[in-house]
């Protein structure tokens, strides 16, 4: 079958590590099934893989892609939950042996993907395959950050750092629909304007002083915005962090944490049930993922390169 695989790693030139072509059909273990992929979305995770972050050489070649929407063996339209693991207290992300598709098992940038049967979530008819493909990683992560980990009531103010990312655009749209006051930062004026159109109430240049401190900060940028995130947060507020695109190591003024009783909360992906509720949330509110571009899977390199250059606003989706 046709697939997009990682065949080597290069931290500086990850795009050259992409391989397009024939790959063996998935092996289907007991309790697993296959999904015929109709659409799959790109995540920064795929670039990390090509850079060799979070994966070892022995796994190569591996099919890239965490996210998919498609049709199961019985002809049902489904969304694929990407977290492969055994729930601990009802949460697969707490399983220390968990993995995401494309880490241990082949991912979704292929004609077919094998997944445990329990990882299939019904796709609401009102949501297209392209939109549904955006949900399993970026949108699920944003949903958990804002509605679960932030611990806020509607009407609170949240700051979303790095407005253009897949998670960030989801945070803006979900936050707005959930009744939060959403402020966002971006280095680019164009992205700030697009964030306003998407539902942000106010936008600021990256690092700019805010008119008042916010109730929670949603962090995906990491090192470049960390200091600003901590100082923009009100006493007792929470930074919810799920990623660190600009760098994993950031200095923290500990006095700001303990003296002002601020919390730093880690968040990763979400449960199968949260993915199902997210799909219903979209169905009920009419909110839809911001899609930067849709490309045939065979032309995926263009999407990878745009993300690598930081030129996307929202999700890049590949179709088959
Ligand atoms: N833990 C999880 O479950 C999980 C799930 C999904 C994603 N993630 C992680 O979350 C991060 C975000 O991923 P994504 O795919 O949504 O988006 P992304 O393509 O990684 O970009 C996020 C945003 O970061 C900002 N940015 C990047 N470099 C920057 C710099 N040097 N200074 C200031 N801002 C910078 C950019 O904002 P502007 O251009 O607007 O300034 C960009 O739009 C990634 O690191 C990803 O691995 C984690």
């Amino acid at each position: 079958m046709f697939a997009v695989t990682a065949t080597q790693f290069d931290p500086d030139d990850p795009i050259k590590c992409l391989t397009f072509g024939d790959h063996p059909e998935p092996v289907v273990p007991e309790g697993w099934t296959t999904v015929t992929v109709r659409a799959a979305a790109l995540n920064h995770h795929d670039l990390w893989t090509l850079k060799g972050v979070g994966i070892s050489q022995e796994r190569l070649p591996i099919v890239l892609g965490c996210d998919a929407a498609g049709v199961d063996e019985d002809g049902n339209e489904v969304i694929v939950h990407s977290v492969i693991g055994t729930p601990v207290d009802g949460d697969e992300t707490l399983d220390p042996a968990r993995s995401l598709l494309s880490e241990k098992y082949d991912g979704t940038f292929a004609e077919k993907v094998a997944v445990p049967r329990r990882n299939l979530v019904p796709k609401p008819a009102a949501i297209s395959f392209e939109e549904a493909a955006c949900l399993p990683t970026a949108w699920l992560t944003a949903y958990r950050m804002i509605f679960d980990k932030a611990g806020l009531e509607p009407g609170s103010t949240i700051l979303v750092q790095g407005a253009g990312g897949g998670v960030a655009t989801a945070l803006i749209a979900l936050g707005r629909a959930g009744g939060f006051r959403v402020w966002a930062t971006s280095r680019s004026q164009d992205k700030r304007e697009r964030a306003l159109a998407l539902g942000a109430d106010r936008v600021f240049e990256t690092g700019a002083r805010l008119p008042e401190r916010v109730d929670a900060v949603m962090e995906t940028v990491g090192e470049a915005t960390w200091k600003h995130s901590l100082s923009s947060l009100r006493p007792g507020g929470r930074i919810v962090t799920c990623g660190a695109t600009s760098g994993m190591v950031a200095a923290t003024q500990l006095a700001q944490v303990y003296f002002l009783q601020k919390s730093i909360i880690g968040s990763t992906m979400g449960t199968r049930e949260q993915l199902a509720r997210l799909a219903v949330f979209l169905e009920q509110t009419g909110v839809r993922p911001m899609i930067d571009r849709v490309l045939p899977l065979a032309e995926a390199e263009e999407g990878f390169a745009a993300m690598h250059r930081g030129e996307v606003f929202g999700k890049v989706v590949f179709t088959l």
Side-chain angles (χ1 to χ4, degrees):
M1 64 174 182
F2 179 76
V4 178
T5 53
T7 43
Q8 53 175 321
F9 305 134
D10 189 326
D12 302 317
D13 189 3
I15 310 301
K16 80 158 195 249
C17 306
L18 280 170
T19 299
F20 293 76
D22 206 39
H23 188 80
E25 292 261 334
V27 178
V28 187
E30 183 69 29
W32 288 47
T33 186
T34 58
V35 172
T36 301
V37 178
R38 297 284 300 276
L42 179 67
N43 290 288
H44 211 100
H45 187 282
D46 302 302
L47 273 182
W48 291 128
T49 301
L50 293 168
K51 290 179 179 182
V53 177
I55 186 163
S56 57
Q57 193 81 32
E58 303 85 72
R59 301 276 183 213
L60 300 183
I62 194 156
V63 178
L64 291 163
C66 304
D67 295 347
V71 178
D72 72 8
E73 287 174 358
D74 300 322
N76 302 305
E77 297 188 351
V78 294
I79 309 172
V80 174
H81 185 224
S82 189
V83 183
I84 313 295
T86 307
V88 176
D89 297 333
D91 186 346
E92 305 83 326
T93 67
L94 294 176
D95 176 359
R98 75 170 193 277
S99 67
L100 299 190
L101 287 171
S102 80
E103 289 177 351
K104 203 184 285 182
Y105 306 102
D106 274 340
T108 58
F109 293 170
E111 289 173 63
K112 283 192 177 174
V113 61
V115 287
R117 224 174 276 281
R118 69 176 299 279
N119 283 51
L120 301 186
V121 169
K123 179 184 86 60
I127 301 174
S128 70
F129 282 110
E130 287 86 349
E131 291 162 347
C134 302
L135 304 189
T137 300
W139 275 68
L140 178 61
T141 301
Y143 179 90
R144 169 176 275 199
M145 289 171 78
I146 203 163
F147 294 128
D148 180 355
K149 300 284 184 170
L152 292 176
E153 293 178 0
S156 308
T157 303
I158 61 165
L159 176 68
V160 178
Q161 298 279 24
V167 179
T169 51
L171 285 163
I172 293 169
L174 289 171
R176 180 70 186 214
F180 294 94
R181 199 156 64 131
V182 182
W183 292 358
T185 68
S186 176
R187 297 164 296 174
S188 129
Q189 176 158 1
D190 176 54
K191 288 189 192 175
R192 290 196 292 277
E193 280 165 16
R194 296 182 74 177
L196 282 174
L198 185 60
D201 295 278
R202 296 188 67 170
V203 288
F204 304 90
E205 273 186 53
T206 303
R209 190 185 173 89
L210 304 184
E212 63 189 69
R213 292 200 167 89
V214 298
D215 298 306
V217 182
M218 304 291 126
E219 252 295 347
T220 62
V221 180
E223 190 180 350
T225 50
W226 190 251
K227 189 171 172 225
H228 180 255
S229 293
L230 204 53
S231 58
S232 301
L233 187 65
R234 69 158 166 79
R238 295 181 183 186
I239 298 182
V240 185
T241 169
C242 81
T245 297
S246 67
M248 299 280 174
V249 182
T252 299
Q253 267 291 338
L254 292 176
Q256 284 203 31
V257 178
Y258 64 76
F259 192 63
L260 298 175
Q261 303 186 74
K262 299 179 180 183
S263 302
I264 298 168
I265 313 277
S267 190
T268 206
M269 303 295 284
T271 64
R272 182 200 177 279
E273 284 65 33
Q274 285 178 321
L275 179 60
R277 283 197 290 276
L278 168 62
V280 174
F281 186 93
L282 264 57
E283 197 178 24
Q284 293 299 309
T285 57
V287 168
R288 293 292 181 271
M290 167 60 65
I291 296 178
D292 179 273
R293 70 193 80 186
V294 178
L295 298 164
L297 184 62
E299 293 168 27
E301 184 172 336
E302 180 191 324
F304 274 86
M307 178 177 272
H308 186 46
R309 292 192 301 265
E311 287 173 5
V312 298
F313 187 87
K315 298 296 295 173
V316 175
V317 178
F318 306 131
T319 50
L320 288 105

